[in-house]
């Protein structure tokens, strides 16, 4: 692991940590209040590259064993720590030197001790370097407000699900995806029938017209988004808050990750390529079939579609997430919000006590109304 594998973006004015501000679409320093564009941050870091390498990144790749037992190391006995770092996920915070423990797919996070944002750049380099990132558009405060508004409409949600401690768990996370473009050519054949009935006097006439249908053409698709992380959460939650407007995606710069969690992909495109191609063919077939209109019946549909172009981009997409564990159980509930559009989805827990009390109250009201109606009738 290189020395520049752990990185905190610093304010050009005061040296404090920079956070990406979704509202301003700039990088903000909470210490001196300064804000900078992506170009300004990149220019500053490029000009001060040597300084960052000498100071900010010093010993960032040293493992926990090396940090706690420096006497075990010597120039004559070099240690190979790459395996332990890759498997265990141990890093040192470039700001305070504290040890960070991460999952194998984590690419940006927070230091648990100094709370500075940390980007694990090696996990987003080489073949794992994203082509694009879709920056957050919704800031943390707005995400909290929308979360409370959404949960407030649910009558039987336990109070613990949206209390202060729970809201503090609301996390902004960039998830990895494959965005796929494709072009196809194809043709379709089918048999169609038109039925016409009319009456002249006392006689009914029926006309059957047979048609041979043929369609041919080309189709282009853009930004089919496919999950690139094996965790079940992403399939259930992230899929539910689509779509994303991919036209707002920008060329990847790790500055956009500052202040957010980031997951790197663990599903390669080759693993899903056959399914993606099949999906594109099905879409093209559906579009071509939809052009057959105005007939009483259609049968014998046969189609062929050939992919002429297939391009994939590795992209990071923004979500706000809340995880809730039901007390005393290993059952988890998730809430997700599209960090660009604000679309929400979630599976919420039910407070059975609230539900029973509501049912009991409803039963009592119905019982009282029944007694009153009976009294008035009599």
């Amino acid at each position: 692991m290189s020395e520049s594998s752990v990185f905190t973006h610093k304010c050009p004015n005061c040296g404090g940590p920079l956070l990406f501000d979704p509202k301003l679409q700039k990088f903000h320093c909470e210490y001196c209040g300064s804000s900078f564009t992506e170009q300004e941050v990149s220019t500053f870091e490029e000009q001060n590259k040597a300084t960052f390498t000498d100071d900010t990144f010093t010993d960032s790749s040293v493992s926990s064993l090396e940090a706690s037992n420096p006497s075990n190391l010597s120039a004559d006995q070099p240690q190979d720590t790459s395996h332990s770092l890759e498997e265990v996920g141990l890093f040192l915070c470039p700001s305070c030197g504290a040890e960070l423990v991460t999952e194998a797919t984590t690419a940006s996070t927070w230091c648990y001790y100094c709370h500075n944002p940390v980007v694990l750049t090696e996990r987003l380099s080489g073949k794992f370097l994203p082509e694009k990132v879709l920056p957050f558009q919704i800031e943390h405060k707005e995400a909290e407000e929308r979360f409370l508004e959404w949960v407030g409409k649910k009558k039987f949600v336990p109070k613990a699900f949206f209390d202060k401690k729970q809201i503090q768990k609301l996390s902004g996370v960039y998830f990895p995806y494959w965005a796929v473009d494709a072009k196809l050519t194809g043709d379709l054949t089918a048999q169609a029938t038109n039925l016409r009935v009319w009456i002249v006097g006392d006689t009914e006439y029926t006309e059957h017209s047979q048609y041979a249908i043929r369609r041919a053409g080309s189709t282009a698709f853009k930004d089919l988004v496919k999950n690139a992380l094996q965790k079940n959460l992403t399939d259930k939650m992230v899929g539910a808050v689509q779509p994303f407007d991919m036209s707002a995606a920008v060329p990847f710069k790790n500055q956009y990750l500052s202040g957010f969690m980031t997951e790197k992909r663990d599903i390669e495109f080759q693993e899903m390529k056959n399914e993606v191609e099949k999906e594109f063919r099905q879409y093209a077939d559906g579009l071509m079939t939809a052009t057959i209109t105005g007939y009483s019946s259609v049968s014998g549909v046969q189609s062929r579609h050939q992919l002429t172009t297939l391009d994939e981009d590795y992209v990071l997409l923004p979500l706000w997430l809340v995880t809730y564990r039901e007390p005393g159980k290993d059952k988890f509930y998730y809430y997700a919000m599209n960090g660009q559009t604000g679309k929400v989805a979630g599976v919420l827990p039910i407070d059975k006590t609230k539900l029973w009390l509501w049912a009991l109250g409803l039963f009592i009201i119905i019982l009282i109304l029944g007694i009153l109606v009976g009294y008035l009738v009599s």
Side-chain angles (χ1 to χ4, degrees), residues 178-184 219-226 269 272-287 305-307 309-312:
W178 291 106
V180 192
D181 299 343
K183 292 182 179 179
L184 302 90
T219 312
F221 297 96
K222 189 172 180 60
D223 294 325
L224 173 66
V225 175
K226 305 298 290 184
F269 182 70
M272 64 176 71
K273 183 178 178 181
N274 290 339
E275 286 299 318
V276 169
E277 291 180 351
K278 180 180 178 181
E279 190 170 344
F280 277 127
R281 290 191 181 96
Q282 289 174 341
Y283 288 146
D285 183 66
L287 290 173
H305 295 278
Q306 180 66 40
L307 276 156
T309 303
L310 188 69
D311 295 319
E312 73 279 1

Side-chain angles (χ1 to χ4, degrees), residues 6-10 17-18 52 56-57 93-95 116-119:
V6 184
F7 186 44
T8 295
H9 294 284
K10 300 291 186 179
L18 286 178
F52 284 132
T56 307
F57 295 150
C93 174
S95 297
N116 282 343
V118 176
V119 179

Side-chain angles (χ1 to χ4, degrees), residues 74-294:
S74 70
D76 297 330
Q77 294 178 322
Q79 302 293 313
D80 180 7
T81 62
S82 60
H83 177 74
S84 62
L85 287 169
E86 183 68 23
E87 295 292 330
V88 182
L90 298 178
F91 301 87
L92 294 184
C93 174
S95 297
C96 70
E99 187 176 273
L100 307 178
V101 181
T102 71
E103 293 187 13
T105 55
T106 301
S108 73
T109 184
W110 295 83
C111 174
Y112 304 109
Y113 298 94
C114 69
H115 304 292
N116 282 343
V118 176
V119 179
L120 311 179
T121 56
E122 183 165 287
R123 293 183 174 181
L124 294 171
S125 61
K127 73 172 185 176
F128 290 106
L129 181 67
E131 277 86 15
K132 297 178 181 178
V133 59
L134 183 60
F136 275 86
Q137 300 288 327
I138 296 176
E139 61 181 345
H140 192 278
K141 183 179 180 180
E142 183 181 353
E144 284 185 358
E145 292 172 351
R146 293 196 183 197
F147 170 68
L148 290 174
E149 180 183 358
W150 185 74
V151 176
K153 297 176 182 179
K154 316 298 180 181
K155 294 183 178 180
F156 308 117
V157 177
K159 184 178 179 181
F161 183 75
F162 55 95
D163 64 13
K164 186 175 182 180
K165 290 183 179 179
Q166 181 67 8
I167 294 174
Q168 289 174 350
K169 296 178 183 178
L170 183 67
S171 301
V173 184
Y174 282 105
F175 278 102
Y177 277 84
W178 291 106
V180 192
D181 299 343
K183 292 182 179 179
L184 302 90
T185 59
D187 59 74
L188 176 148
T189 59
Q191 300 296 321
T193 300
N194 257 348
L195 177 65
R196 187 167 72 96
V197 179
W198 70 95
I199 297 175
V200 177
D202 296 329
T203 305
E204 180 180 277
Y205 297 89
T206 302
E207 179 185 77
H208 290 270
S209 301
Q210 302 290 331
Y211 299 90
I213 305 296
R214 185 177 184 276
R215 299 285 188 271
S218 59
T219 312
F221 297 96
K222 189 172 180 60
D223 294 325
L224 173 66
V225 175
K226 305 298 290 184
N227 172 41
L229 190 66
Q230 293 182 11
K231 294 180 180 179
N232 291 332
L233 165 65
T234 56
D235 273 339
K236 295 177 181 178
M237 290 294 95
V238 181
V241 298
Q242 289 194 44
F244 293 89
D245 179 7
M246 296 302 295
S247 66
V250 298
F252 175 76
K253 292 290 183 68
N254 62 40
Q255 288 95 324
Y256 291 103
L257 313 184
S258 187
F260 299 96
M261 300 285 289
T262 305
E263 295 282 348
K264 78 167 186 176
R265 75 172 192 262
D266 59 4
I267 301 177
E268 297 304 317
F269 182 70
Q270 289 300 319
E271 299 176 40
M272 64 176 71
K273 183 178 178 181
N274 290 339
E275 286 299 318
V276 169
E277 291 180 351
K278 180 180 178 181
E279 190 170 344
F280 277 127
R281 290 191 181 96
Q282 289 174 341
Y283 288 146
D285 183 66
L287 290 173
M288 196 169 284
T289 301
T291 65
I292 305 176
T293 59

Side-chain angles (χ1 to χ4, degrees), residues 9 17 63 86 229 240 310 316 338 348 369:
H9 294 284
S63 72
E86 183 68 23
L229 190 66
L310 188 69
L316 298 176
N338 186 313
L348 299 179
L369 289 175

